[in-house]
Amino acid sequence: MRAKNLPASDFRYNRAVLGNDKKRMEISQGFADTVGNTPLIRMNRLSELTGCEILGKAEFLNPGGSVKDRAALWMVRDAEERGALQPGGIVVEGTAGNTGIGLVHVCNARGYGCIIYMPDNQSPEKVEILETLGAEVRQVATVPYKDPMNYQKQAGRFAETLENAFWANQFDNVANRQAHYDSTGPEIWRQTDGTIDAFTCSVGTGGTLAGVSRFLKEQRQDIQLVLADPMGSALHSWATTGEASMSKGPSITEGIGNSRVTDNLAGTEVDDAVQVTDQEMVTMVYQQMVEEGWFFGSSTGINLCAAVKVAEQMGPGHTIVTVLCDTGSKYQSRLFNPEFLAERDLHV
Ligand code: PMP
């Protein structure tokens, strides 16, 4: 119906908006359709400091709140397409938190159950969110990957005992990196109009780094791919020497660093790696909060420190992209708790 007092041109616009023209309406079609297409944000202070354009991919704006929404959606859709997940089934996963949060959102939206195995050294906020969303959370002792009681291995074994259950297996299921090859990489390429000189991010499963890297290297081989690593991880050594040997830890960062090269990461063309200490990360996260209004989690702090290091190595005039993985709201009891920091000799 034509609105009263609108000129004809407005009427035509109105009809397109109110009609069935989904493209023109720019309305996302539910949860899955809202994953991805995140903004690319200029980090003003860091760009001015380095003379480079330091740009952050705002993955914290995904509907489940982190970069892992993409992996969760791609793994579930891939399992559906392969017939590994049937209607009414259960998704089981071992996760430090964000993949679980992404998965339970996707499971709720598609009618699946969700069971999450999680190491017991993660921030309690993540457990609360998972349980609020309806996941069954099983917190298990934090033991190394080689131990059969490692949370990932327990998840895999438990899924086998259930009927119509699918173990997402984010570390070695390459549908994870495919998410970033199909979506994050092309978005960054488009948003920078192909002017990107370097991409850096930290690695948990490696899905983000591997998928984005593969896509970008196919566009321009000279784009520098730099792995960002916290302390207490073997990936800096893997990227720089080919041998995965652990650096001195521990680190209070969550969801990043690894003792092994996952199937997602394997074969990724990494040009260089940088290490970031917890103190550097803490300083960055608080500076970003107090001086620029952002509220970032620890992996984002590592990524931004890495972007600055890459900028300093490359010199002014370059465009460096990194990932803003999630917000600080899941880390209030740790990263944003002065007592927790002081006990570890970390200073704001
Ligand atoms: N940051 C956060 C907060 C995460 O939860 C994760 C995944 N565990 C990552 C970064 C790393 O992403 P990826 O698994 O794609 O390497």
Side-chain angles (χ1 to χ4, degrees), residues 75-99:
M75 290 191 297
V76 167
R77 277 203 303 227
D78 176 63
E80 289 171 343
E81 280 160 22
R82 290 187 288 112
L85 184 59
Q86 300 289 333
I90 297 173
V91 176
V92 183
E93 182 58 322
T95 158
N98 276 325
T99 303

Short mmCIF file of all heavy atoms in Angstrom, two decimals, residues 75-99:
data_model
loop_
_atom_site.label_atom_id
_atom_site.label_comp_id
_atom_site.label_asym_id
_atom_site.label_seq_id
_atom_site.Cartn_x
_atom_site.Cartn_y
_atom_site.Cartn_z
N MET A 75 31.49 -26.46 9.79
CA MET A 75 31.63 -27.87 10.17
C MET A 75 30.27 -28.55 10.23
O MET A 75 30.12 -29.70 9.80
CB MET A 75 32.37 -27.99 11.51
CG MET A 75 33.85 -27.62 11.41
SD MET A 75 34.81 -28.04 12.89
CE MET A 75 34.03 -27.01 14.13
N VAL A 76 29.27 -27.86 10.75
CA VAL A 76 27.93 -28.46 10.85
C VAL A 76 27.34 -28.63 9.45
O VAL A 76 26.81 -29.70 9.10
CB VAL A 76 27.00 -27.61 11.75
CG1 VAL A 76 25.54 -28.05 11.61
CG2 VAL A 76 27.45 -27.72 13.21
N ARG A 77 27.45 -27.61 8.62
CA ARG A 77 26.89 -27.72 7.25
C ARG A 77 27.58 -28.82 6.46
O ARG A 77 26.93 -29.58 5.74
CB ARG A 77 27.03 -26.38 6.51
CG ARG A 77 25.91 -25.41 6.84
CD ARG A 77 25.71 -24.37 5.76
NE ARG A 77 26.90 -23.62 5.49
CZ ARG A 77 26.94 -22.28 5.39
NH1 ARG A 77 25.84 -21.58 5.56
NH2 ARG A 77 28.06 -21.67 5.11
N ASP A 78 28.91 -28.93 6.63
CA ASP A 78 29.65 -29.98 5.92
C ASP A 78 29.18 -31.37 6.39
O ASP A 78 29.00 -32.27 5.58
CB ASP A 78 31.15 -29.79 6.20
CG ASP A 78 32.00 -30.88 5.59
OD1 ASP A 78 32.00 -30.99 4.34
OD2 ASP A 78 32.65 -31.63 6.35
N ALA A 79 28.99 -31.53 7.70
CA ALA A 79 28.52 -32.82 8.24
C ALA A 79 27.12 -33.14 7.72
O ALA A 79 26.82 -34.30 7.39
CB ALA A 79 28.53 -32.78 9.77
N GLU A 80 26.28 -32.13 7.62
CA GLU A 80 24.93 -32.35 7.08
C GLU A 80 25.02 -32.81 5.62
O GLU A 80 24.37 -33.76 5.20
CB GLU A 80 24.12 -31.05 7.14
CG GLU A 80 23.70 -30.64 8.54
CD GLU A 80 23.08 -29.25 8.62
OE1 GLU A 80 23.25 -28.44 7.66
OE2 GLU A 80 22.46 -28.95 9.63
N GLU A 81 25.88 -32.14 4.86
CA GLU A 81 26.00 -32.47 3.43
C GLU A 81 26.56 -33.87 3.23
O GLU A 81 26.17 -34.58 2.31
CB GLU A 81 26.90 -31.44 2.72
CG GLU A 81 26.14 -30.17 2.39
CD GLU A 81 27.06 -28.97 2.14
OE1 GLU A 81 28.25 -29.19 1.82
OE2 GLU A 81 26.58 -27.82 2.31
N ARG A 82 27.48 -34.29 4.11
CA ARG A 82 28.07 -35.63 4.01
C ARG A 82 27.18 -36.71 4.61
O ARG A 82 27.49 -37.89 4.53
CB ARG A 82 29.43 -35.67 4.73
CG ARG A 82 30.52 -34.88 4.04
CD ARG A 82 31.87 -35.10 4.70
NE ARG A 82 32.00 -34.45 5.99
CZ ARG A 82 32.09 -35.09 7.16
NH1 ARG A 82 32.06 -36.41 7.21
NH2 ARG A 82 32.22 -34.42 8.29
N GLY A 83 26.10 -36.31 5.27
CA GLY A 83 25.21 -37.27 5.93
C GLY A 83 25.75 -37.73 7.28
O GLY A 83 25.22 -38.67 7.88
N ALA A 84 26.81 -37.07 7.77
CA ALA A 84 27.38 -37.46 9.07
C ALA A 84 26.52 -36.96 10.22
O ALA A 84 26.70 -37.41 11.36
CB ALA A 84 28.80 -36.90 9.19
N LEU A 85 25.64 -36.03 9.93
CA LEU A 85 24.74 -35.48 10.96
C LEU A 85 23.33 -35.49 10.39
O LEU A 85 23.07 -34.90 9.35
CB LEU A 85 25.19 -34.05 11.29
CG LEU A 85 24.47 -33.31 12.41
CD1 LEU A 85 24.57 -34.06 13.74
CD2 LEU A 85 25.08 -31.91 12.58
N GLN A 86 22.46 -36.23 11.08
CA GLN A 86 21.07 -36.39 10.61
C GLN A 86 20.16 -35.53 11.49
O GLN A 86 20.53 -35.18 12.61
CB GLN A 86 20.65 -37.85 10.74
CG GLN A 86 21.50 -38.82 9.93
CD GLN A 86 21.27 -38.71 8.43
OE1 GLN A 86 20.19 -38.31 8.00
NE2 GLN A 86 22.28 -39.04 7.65
N PRO A 87 18.95 -35.23 10.99
CA PRO A 87 18.03 -34.42 11.79
C PRO A 87 17.89 -34.95 13.22
O PRO A 87 17.84 -36.16 13.44
CB PRO A 87 16.70 -34.55 11.03
CG PRO A 87 17.12 -34.78 9.61
CD PRO A 87 18.40 -35.58 9.68
N GLY A 88 17.91 -34.02 14.18
CA GLY A 88 17.75 -34.39 15.59
C GLY A 88 19.01 -34.93 16.24
O GLY A 88 18.98 -35.38 17.39
N GLY A 89 20.13 -34.92 15.52
CA GLY A 89 21.38 -35.49 16.04
C GLY A 89 22.04 -34.63 17.11
O GLY A 89 21.51 -33.60 17.53
N ILE A 90 23.22 -35.12 17.54
CA ILE A 90 23.95 -34.42 18.61
C ILE A 90 25.35 -34.09 18.11
O ILE A 90 26.03 -34.94 17.52
CB ILE A 90 24.06 -35.31 19.86
CG1 ILE A 90 22.67 -35.60 20.43
CG2 ILE A 90 24.93 -34.65 20.94
CD1 ILE A 90 22.68 -36.60 21.57
N VAL A 91 25.76 -32.86 18.35
CA VAL A 91 27.13 -32.45 18.01
C VAL A 91 27.96 -32.51 19.29
O VAL A 91 27.56 -31.95 20.32
CB VAL A 91 27.15 -31.03 17.41
CG1 VAL A 91 28.58 -30.58 17.15
CG2 VAL A 91 26.33 -30.98 16.13
N VAL A 92 29.09 -33.22 19.22
CA VAL A 92 29.99 -33.33 20.37
C VAL A 92 31.30 -32.65 19.98
O VAL A 92 31.79 -32.82 18.85
CB VAL A 92 30.27 -34.82 20.72
CG1 VAL A 92 31.16 -34.92 21.96
CG2 VAL A 92 28.97 -35.57 20.93
N GLU A 93 31.86 -31.86 20.90
CA GLU A 93 33.12 -31.21 20.56
C GLU A 93 33.99 -30.99 21.80
O GLU A 93 33.47 -30.79 22.91
CB GLU A 93 32.86 -29.87 19.85
CG GLU A 93 34.09 -29.11 19.40
CD GLU A 93 35.02 -29.88 18.44
OE1 GLU A 93 35.22 -31.09 18.60
OE2 GLU A 93 35.58 -29.23 17.54
N GLY A 94 35.30 -31.01 21.59
CA GLY A 94 36.25 -30.60 22.61
C GLY A 94 36.69 -29.19 22.25
O GLY A 94 37.16 -28.95 21.14
N THR A 95 36.52 -28.26 23.17
CA THR A 95 36.78 -26.86 22.83
C THR A 95 37.15 -26.06 24.06
O THR A 95 36.65 -26.31 25.15
CB THR A 95 35.54 -26.21 22.13
OG1 THR A 95 35.60 -24.79 22.26
CG2 THR A 95 34.24 -26.70 22.69
N ALA A 96 38.03 -25.07 23.83
CA ALA A 96 38.37 -24.15 24.91
C ALA A 96 37.24 -23.17 25.17
O ALA A 96 37.28 -22.41 26.11
CB ALA A 96 39.64 -23.39 24.54
N GLY A 97 36.23 -23.16 24.32
CA GLY A 97 35.05 -22.34 24.61
C GLY A 97 34.37 -21.74 23.40
O GLY A 97 33.19 -21.98 23.19
N ASN A 98 35.11 -20.96 22.61
CA ASN A 98 34.42 -20.22 21.56
C ASN A 98 33.82 -21.10 20.48
O ASN A 98 32.74 -20.80 19.96
CB ASN A 98 35.37 -19.19 20.93
CG ASN A 98 35.41 -17.91 21.74
OD1 ASN A 98 34.40 -17.50 22.31
ND2 ASN A 98 36.57 -17.29 21.82
N THR A 99 34.50 -22.18 20.12
CA THR A 99 33.91 -23.09 19.13
C THR A 99 32.63 -23.69 19.69
O THR A 99 31.63 -23.84 18.98
CB THR A 99 34.89 -24.21 18.76
OG1 THR A 99 36.09 -23.60 18.30
CG2 THR A 99 34.33 -25.11 17.68
#
